[in-house]
Amino acid sequence: MSKRKIVLFGGTFDPIHLGHTAVAADAAEQIGAEKIVWVPAKRSPLKGFMPKAGDDDRLKMMGLAIGGQKNFELSDYELRRPAPSYTLETVRWFQTKYGGDVLIHWLLGADSVEDLSLWHEINALIDECTLCTMYRAGCKKPDFTAFEAVWGHQRVNKLQQNIIRTPLIDISSTEVRKRLAAGADVGKMLHPAVIEYIRRRGLYRSEEESGYV
Ligand code: ATP
């Protein structure tokens, strides 16, 4: 019997945008996963700066953007742990939770290809879950062949086989934050309930301000 598949989608989601929801849904369908668990991070070990919006605001915006969509689930697992979050620890925790008949898939955008070799215990991560790399607008087509000398043929082969041709949606949280700080329109980038939440809470009014607590 083939194993059940569950997708984990981690990131800062500062804020969650329509690119996130569109590509994740498309990837999960291509993978044949039964659900996507969204895992907001406290802080990216590689980004080196704090999210602009606090944990609670980011979690609430995610709830508004993905709530009501069947097969989408929100987890505060990484937010409850001390920063920074390491993906391998998260994957292991969910693997224990779901048990051995579930194959954990972890979604990455193509912009992560370049820094993947810097991730904590990357060899173990490649081995212990299925890292699925999605296409991303403005990024090169994902390709790991240059990393064969570092990770070996088998690992690179596994990464290559799990590249997913997702739709190119040219949205980033950075661009959203810039537009919000400039008072520009973000109507095509965010879920309407997220826009309303940001307005009500006065988030992202300036590019420097950090609401992080
Ligand atoms: P920022 O601009 O602040 O770096 P971001 O838009 O890249 O944010 P993250 O929360 O860092 O959003 O992204 C979480 C994950 O989603 C990452 O793996 C990222 O590569 C991926 N991702 C984000 N936006 C897209 C998109 N438009 N298409 C494909 N993947 C995306």
Side-chain angles (χ1 to χ4, degrees):
M1 209 179 72
S2 66
K3 293 194 177 191
R4 291 160 52 213
K5 294 171 180 172
I6 290 179
V7 162
L8 303 182
F9 191 22
T12 322
F13 302 111
D14 189 24
I16 185 168
H17 55 66
L18 297 177
H20 292 129
T21 41
V23 295
D26 185 89
E29 199 180 324
Q30 294 194 48
I31 290 165
E34 62 185 50
K35 66 174 168 185
I36 305 175
V37 183
W38 296 70
V39 193
K42 247 190 141 42
R43 170 164 73 85
S44 161
L46 295 178
K47 279 189 179 170
F49 54 82
M50 293 300 195
K52 299 270 183 206
D55 294 351
D56 191 51
D57 282 326
R58 288 183 296 125
L59 196 64
K60 288 213 173 91
M61 289 188 279
M62 294 181 75
L64 292 168
I66 70 176
Q69 297 205 48
K70 73 171 175 48
N71 308 339
F72 280 9
E73 211 175 280
L74 185 53
S75 168
D76 65 355
Y77 169 73
E78 289 194 353
L79 297 181
R80 283 187 281 107
R81 294 170 52 84
S85 329
Y86 290 115
T87 304
L88 181 62
E89 285 169 16
T90 304
V91 163
R92 285 180 175 163
W93 187 82
F94 278 98
Q95 188 70 74
T96 304
K97 174 179 168 166
Y98 291 125
D101 69 328
V102 164
L103 269 180
I104 301 281
H105 291 63
W106 184 276
L107 294 184
L108 300 169
D111 53 302
S112 306
V113 171
E114 289 305 315
D115 59 36
L116 199 60
S117 60
L118 305 175
W119 284 32
H120 176 70
E121 289 202 52
I122 181 61
N123 285 354
L125 183 65
I126 299 170
D127 294 342
E128 291 184 33
C129 73
T130 305
L131 288 179
C132 296
T133 315
M134 305 180 291
Y135 280 41
R136 182 161 190 182
C139 292
K140 282 192 292 190
K141 181 171 163 269
D143 181 10
F144 294 95
T145 49
F147 295 94
E148 253 194 57
V150 192
W151 297 326
H153 177 71
Q154 252 185 326
R155 289 197 182 95
V156 166
N157 203 28
K158 185 174 176 189
L159 290 166
Q160 290 292 111
Q161 280 177 358
N162 290 293
I163 289 172
I164 308 181
R165 190 186 285 263
T166 40
L168 297 176
I169 299 170
D170 195 6
I171 308 178
S172 70
S173 297
T174 303
E175 177 66 19
V176 168
R177 291 193 302 271
K178 271 193 193 145
R179 282 178 177 244
L180 287 166
D185 181 35
V186 289
K188 291 200 169 78
M189 298 181 153
L190 302 180
H191 187 291
V194 173
I195 298 179
E196 174 52 24
Y197 184 90
I198 288 171
R199 195 198 55 75
R200 197 156 33 85
R201 294 272 299 131
L203 302 175
Y204 309 113
R205 277 194 187 149
S206 91
E207 284 195 65
E208 287 77 40
E209 175 196 359
S210 171
Y212 189 85
V213 279

